[in-house]
Amino acid sequence: MQGAEQRTPPPAAYTPTDRTVPTRSAHRASYDKELVHAILDEGYVCHLGFVRDGAPVVLPTLYGRVGERLYVHGSTGSRPLRTAGRTDAGPGLAVCLTVTHVDGLVLARSAFHHSINYRSVVVHGVAHQVTDPEEKRLALDALVDHVVPGRSRDARPADAKESAATAVLRLELGEVSAKVRTGGVNDEPEDLSLPHWAGVVPLRKGYGTPVPDAALTPGTELPGYLAALSS
Amino acid sequence: MQGAEQRTPPPAAYTPTDRTVPTRSAHRASYDKELVHAILDEGYVCHLGFVRDGAPVVLPTLYGRVGERLYVHGSTGSRPLRTAGRTDAGPGLAVCLTVTHVDGLVLARSAFHHSINYRSVVVHGVAHQVTDPEEKRLALDALVDHVVPGRSRDARPADAKESAATAVLRLELGEVSAKVRTGGVNDEPEDLSLPHWAGVVPLRKGYGTPVPDAALTPGTELPGYLAALSS
């Protein structure tokens, strides 16, 4: 038995559930928090799914992460945010939030084994509207910092009117899984001698040269956090 | 009145519906078929939403397009394909299929006006399982050609066993909209003199050098359709 001062480390993995254990390619699934966070933090847009009038709706939207919470935002008049209700205590909105990176094209000798290399995270849960002003402020900062880390400190924060016009939904990272495919082609042994080229075409992402606003105050330097992106 | 030989051109736009007219930023919506096809054809992965046990599910998956039909595929044992039923005549699966490209980071002087430049397509409809062998063959070719145009002619086609193990869903392009944000920042006039850098950081996508499979038959040349990608 360890001494009483021993700290319990936070759990390093999400607990799998019926919804997060895939029926196929289970070896590609992961519940590792560090991996999930890294995939989420690298994305710009998530695909937010919800049910409206019994039918699925999937919309791309910005998001931000603060620890084990994700935030999405929108106009207070937007459909998902209206559906989620106006209070933190309401029933909330059942959502599925998915982030995917495509890393490479996997060209096998057989059509059947064509694939892509990817990393994705799927989060199931019920999103609630954030009503606490301090949490809302932190969430809005996280949404801006998700676009470019550190940017929220170099922008005018939302004023009272802007904040009132913006609804923020909170989604806890509880029922979460990542799925990752890496590596090369998985052709059948009897196909290896076929004459077709086989292998992986990597996909690259990068940044172009920042384009300053035409009305930028003369002499405004490109901030370091942006120069670092495109270098 | 025109002569009887006059051809009626196919409609150039999808008909807007309640589901495809956005409640916000309606000026960014488009129903132009050419634009919709271009956005779809440039993507590698769609986000397919459906309802399971009353809750939304959003999964990334490959897709292909043949004219006004989209195809997605999966193992016959996968959940969405099981839900869609085993016959073309069945009730089908209500889906929302979304494809998004992120083109740039829009950094405004105010946190509120931060945004991204993007192009997205949202398709609503009911997906049906393809049972006609010829349509299934064309759909599987389209799925491979969506990864790299022309690739299906340079790969071993699915044999009977592989084809039987693969379920293909068809989704008609009927209830469809695109949404596009381009251009620069939209700051408030009174913010223009703030000292923050403002502008757009373009995102770039590209291809790395193809990595041949270790077991590639010696002397197999990189095909032209791949050399063109990474040039």
Side-chain angles (χ1 to χ4, degrees), chain A residues 110-202:
Chain A
S110 62
F112 186 74
H113 284 296
H114 275 64
S115 187
I116 56 162
N117 283 335
Y118 67 96
R119 291 164 293 145
S120 66
V121 163
V122 176
V123 184
H124 298 272
V126 176
H128 289 275
Q129 194 160 150
V130 174
T131 51
D132 177 70
E134 177 62 12
E135 183 181 1
K136 188 168 180 179
R137 196 185 60 74
L138 290 173
L140 292 175
D141 281 353
L143 277 149
V144 169
D145 286 332
H146 194 85
V147 177
V148 179
R151 175 68 184 180
S152 69
R153 290 189 301 274
D154 188 20
R156 176 180 66 71
D159 61 25
K161 189 180 158 192
E162 289 168 343
S163 184
T166 309
V168 175
L169 292 184
R170 177 204 318 114
L171 176 63
E172 303 279 351
L173 289 174
E175 200 169 349
V176 183
S177 61
K179 212 166 168 188
V180 176
R181 190 205 189 278
T182 57
V185 300
N186 293 328
D187 266 316
E188 303 296 330
E190 60 269 30
D191 288 337
L192 293 181
S193 59
L194 289 175
H196 311 299
W197 188 91
V200 175
V201 180

Side-chain angles (χ1 to χ4, degrees), chain B residues 113-197:
Chain B
H113 283 296
H114 274 65
S115 186
I116 57 161
N117 282 336
Y118 67 95
R119 291 163 294 144
S120 65
V121 163
V122 175
V123 184
H124 299 272
V126 175
H128 289 275
Q129 194 159 151
V130 173
T131 51
D132 177 71
E134 177 63 11
E135 182 182 1
K136 187 168 180 177
R137 197 185 60 74
L138 291 172
L140 292 175
D141 281 354
L143 278 149
V144 169
D145 286 332
H146 194 87
V147 177
V148 179
R151 175 68 184 180
S152 70
R153 290 189 301 274
D154 189 19
R156 176 179 67 69
D159 62 24
K161 189 180 159 195
E162 290 168 342
S163 185
T166 308
V168 175
L169 292 184
R170 177 205 317 113
L171 176 64
E172 303 279 351
L173 289 174
E175 199 169 350
V176 183
S177 61
K179 212 166 169 189
V180 175
R181 188 202 191 281
T182 57
V185 299
N186 292 329
D187 266 316
E188 303 295 330
E190 60 268 31
D191 287 337
L192 293 181
S193 59
L194 290 176
H196 311 299
W197 188 91

Side-chain angles (χ1 to χ4, degrees), chain A residues 18 21 23 45 47 58 79 98 100 108-109 111 114 116 151 154 156 191 196-200 202 204 206 208 211 213, chain B residues 18 21 23 45 47 58 79 98 100 108-109 111 114 116 151 154 156 191 196-200 202 204 206 208 211 213:
Chain A
D18 278 354
V21 175
T23 49
V45 158
H47 283 81
V58 179
R79 290 179 201 175
T98 301
T100 307
R109 295 161 183 87
H114 275 64
I116 56 162
R151 175 68 184 180
D154 188 20
R156 176 180 66 71
D191 288 337
H196 311 299
W197 188 91
V200 175
R204 279 190 189 155
V211 181
D213 183 34
Chain B
D18 278 355
V21 175
T23 49
V45 157
H47 282 81
V58 179
R79 290 180 201 173
T98 301
T100 307
R109 294 161 183 87
H114 274 65
I116 57 161
R151 175 68 184 180
D154 189 19
R156 176 179 67 69
D191 287 337
H196 311 299
W197 188 91
V200 174
R204 279 190 189 153
V211 181
D213 182 35

